[in-house]
Amino acid sequence: MSRRMVRPAALAASTALLAGGLLAATVPAASAAPAKYSHAAAAQKLRAAGIAWTSSGGCSNRNNRRCTSFERINRSTVAGVIDFRKASRCAVTITGGTETGHASGTYSHWNGYKVDIQPTTCVNRYITRKFRYVGQRPGDHAKQYKSPSGNVYAREGSHWDITYYRAAR
């Protein structure tokens, strides 16, 4: 049998297995990049949910560390903040977004996974009572709390540093 005859048969068999769901378990799943918002689109969603933000520089330029920017923030991060606001019923003010000046890494502010929020009595109480304490973060020793959906809330000096690995929805 020639190679030309074997390849179409092998392709047909693989296609049949794939269509039947038998081959799918052996094929690694592709990890898609998270969907992103522009600053304007994220600001609109946050505003509609009653979430405020502040900027020490009064600006939203992603490349200026004194600004608070939402440019290229993950949609799941915005959904996570909105879910937190709804569940806690606390006033939420974001003090840091995707602007430069934060620590680097895969799950960083710059890459859209993190926001900083202002601590208030309501926010502090909700996080420390509803989420599981998971110890101090290496390096800065910030106390960390993990939500049921896997997001991590770290209490830094002047704010809560929140990593949204996934939205609560």
Side-chain angles (χ1 to χ4, degrees):
M1 187 183 266
S2 74
R3 288 182 186 219
R4 295 184 124 194
M5 296 173 93
V6 172
R7 285 190 179 149
L11 180 61
S14 294
T15 303
L17 286 171
L18 186 59
L22 300 175
L23 189 61
T26 63
V27 178
S31 60
K36 305 285 186 174
Y37 278 126
S38 67
H39 177 83
Q44 180 181 12
K45 289 277 188 189
L46 294 166
R47 189 178 300 112
I51 296 170
W53 58 93
T54 185
S55 166
S56 61
C59 50
S60 62
N61 181 339
R62 179 172 162 85
N63 295 303
N64 181 339
R65 69 180 50 231
R66 295 187 64 227
C67 299
T68 297
S69 176
F70 304 127
E71 191 63 37
R72 300 199 41 76
I73 194 168
N74 295 341
R75 288 179 181 224
S76 59
T77 300
V78 172
V81 176
I82 292 169
D83 287 345
F84 176 79
R85 162 81 169 89
K86 287 178 182 174
S88 69
R89 297 183 179 172
C90 297
V92 173
T93 301
I94 297 174
T95 60
T98 61
E99 66 279 352
T100 191
H102 300 280
S104 62
T106 301
Y107 297 104
S108 65
H109 283 272
W110 183 261
N111 289 335
Y113 289 91
K114 286 186 167 210
V115 294
D116 294 336
I117 66 169
Q118 197 170 61
T120 64
T121 301
C122 183
V123 166
N124 297 347
R125 185 180 301 128
Y126 188 84
I127 292 169
T128 60
R129 290 184 180 173
K130 298 290 185 179
F131 301 154
R132 184 172 50 93
Y133 177 71
V134 293
Q136 293 183 345
R137 188 166 57 189
D140 66 357
H141 306 290
K143 290 182 178 180
Q144 300 178 107
Y145 298 83
K146 190 178 236 178
S147 72
S149 58
N151 302 316
V152 176
Y153 295 67
R155 183 61 165 94
E156 294 183 358
S158 63
H159 60 271
W160 284 97
D161 176 74
I162 308 167
T163 308
Y164 287 101
Y165 295 104
R166 62 187 76 80
R169 302 181 192 157

